[in-house]
Amino acid sequence: SQQGEEDPQALSIQEGENATMNCSYKTSINNLQWYRQNSGRGLVHLILIRSNEREKHSGRLRVTLDTSKKSSSLLITASRAADTASYFCATPALSGNTGKLIFGQGTTLQVKP
Amino acid sequence: DTGVSQDPRHKITKRGQNVTFRCDPISEHNRLYWYRQTLGQGPEFLTYFQNEAQLEKSRLLSDRFSAERPKGSFSTLEIQRTEQGDSAMYLCASSFRQGSEETQYFGPGTRLLVL
């Protein structure tokens, strides 16, 4: 089953604008991860934020985590056409020793040149 | 290229046929995962191996599905008597767990279409 909801489901912006995607999850977490998937391809790991962190940066990416609201956001600044992709949040299942990831439904981002 | 590889990239088959997919993980990774992704959805966990041991299977993995990882290296996922509902992207990922965190590296996926 999916972990939660991502919002919006689809986003279309102009190159140079910022893009913000939100993710809500249902259970307690140790960390939350964001992945990017180009059309019809595998997933690429973008960033991991631990449950005791509130904000993390990596290049043009900024991730926030609010464990009280069970939500996270991914901000891509100064977007480029190459950022066009689907973006997924994922959390590791806490039960057992498995590292299996539970993914959201994703946000499809289109950046127009 | 030392990333995760999957073969084939695309497979079209007729309902009732058997298919087998292969995943070659990053060589030093001890964990290997299989996920299934349908159109417009996020990936869903199917099963995972630590070395050669299959430690967890999702209830999504019906009796028609079997996965192996002999010698703890490459893995195969076989679907017997395929059904149209099996049409999906099958993703493989590998990782090396350190402490309580791990980053999974995904292959390009095998897209299956059952006619």
Side-chain angles (χ1 to χ4, degrees):
Chain A
S1 64
Q2 300 291 323
Q3 167 68 295
E5 300 292 326
E6 295 195 50
D7 173 55
Q9 290 190 0
L11 181 61
S12 181
I13 60 174
Q14 293 294 134
E15 205 166 27
E17 294 180 340
N18 296 342
T20 300
M21 290 158 263
N22 302 297
C23 163
S24 61
Y25 56 92
K26 298 175 182 175
T27 62
S28 297
I29 60 171
N30 287 331
N31 64 70
L32 185 143
Q33 303 174 37
W34 285 89
Y35 282 82
R36 183 187 74 220
Q37 183 177 36
N38 290 89
S39 180
R41 306 290 293 274
L43 284 82
V44 174
H45 183 264
L46 295 176
I47 195 164
L48 179 153
I49 186 165
R50 298 182 179 90
S51 60
N52 62 354
E53 297 175 316
R54 292 296 166 258
E55 188 171 310
K56 198 163 185 179
H57 298 254
S58 176
R60 294 183 298 111
L61 305 181
R62 173 177 165 253
V63 169
T64 62
L65 179 64
D66 186 336
T67 53
S68 67
K69 295 181 180 177
K70 289 188 168 57
S71 68
S72 174
S73 68
L74 171 67
L75 168 67
I76 304 174
T77 59
S79 64
R80 305 167 182 169
D83 295 328
T84 294
S86 292
Y87 292 82
F88 296 91
C89 65
T91 56
L94 284 183
S95 61
N97 193 31
T98 175
K100 70 180 180 185
L101 292 173
I102 304 173
F103 286 86
Q105 293 181 319
T107 293
T108 300
L109 172 66
Q110 182 186 29
V111 181
K112 299 176 184 176
Chain B
D1 188 347
T2 57
V4 179
S5 61
Q6 292 186 245
D7 184 68
R9 295 289 307 278
H10 303 273
K11 179 70 177 179
I12 300 174
T13 191
K14 293 183 179 178
R15 189 176 53 186
Q17 298 294 306
N18 298 344
V19 294
T20 300
F21 309 142
R22 176 178 171 127
C23 170
D24 286 90
I26 294 171
S27 59
E28 63 268 25
H29 285 181
N30 60 348
R31 290 191 167 197
L32 186 147
Y33 298 82
W34 285 98
Y35 293 85
R36 181 172 70 187
Q37 184 179 26
T38 53
L39 202 62
Q41 301 294 315
E44 292 183 293
F45 169 80
L46 292 179
T47 189
Y48 102 98
F49 293 83
Q50 179 149 321
N51 300 313
E52 66 275 11
Q54 186 175 19
L55 297 184
E56 185 172 345
K57 293 193 290 186
S58 163
R59 61 180 182 273
L60 292 175
L61 217 63
S62 75
D63 291 344
R64 297 184 297 104
F65 287 70
S66 62
E68 294 182 344
R69 192 183 183 198
K71 303 177 184 177
S73 56
F74 71 92
S75 175
T76 58
L77 177 68
E78 180 183 16
I79 309 174
Q80 296 182 326
R81 304 181 303 282
T82 53
E83 301 173 357
Q84 288 182 326
D86 297 330
S87 296
M89 173 81 91
Y90 290 83
L91 294 162
C92 173
S94 72
S95 70
F96 184 81
R97 189 177 180 96
Q98 285 184 307
S100 61
E101 291 181 358
E102 64 183 270
T103 296
Q104 294 183 23
Y105 296 85
F106 283 78
T110 294
R111 186 173 295 280
L112 172 67
L113 177 61
V114 182
L115 301 175

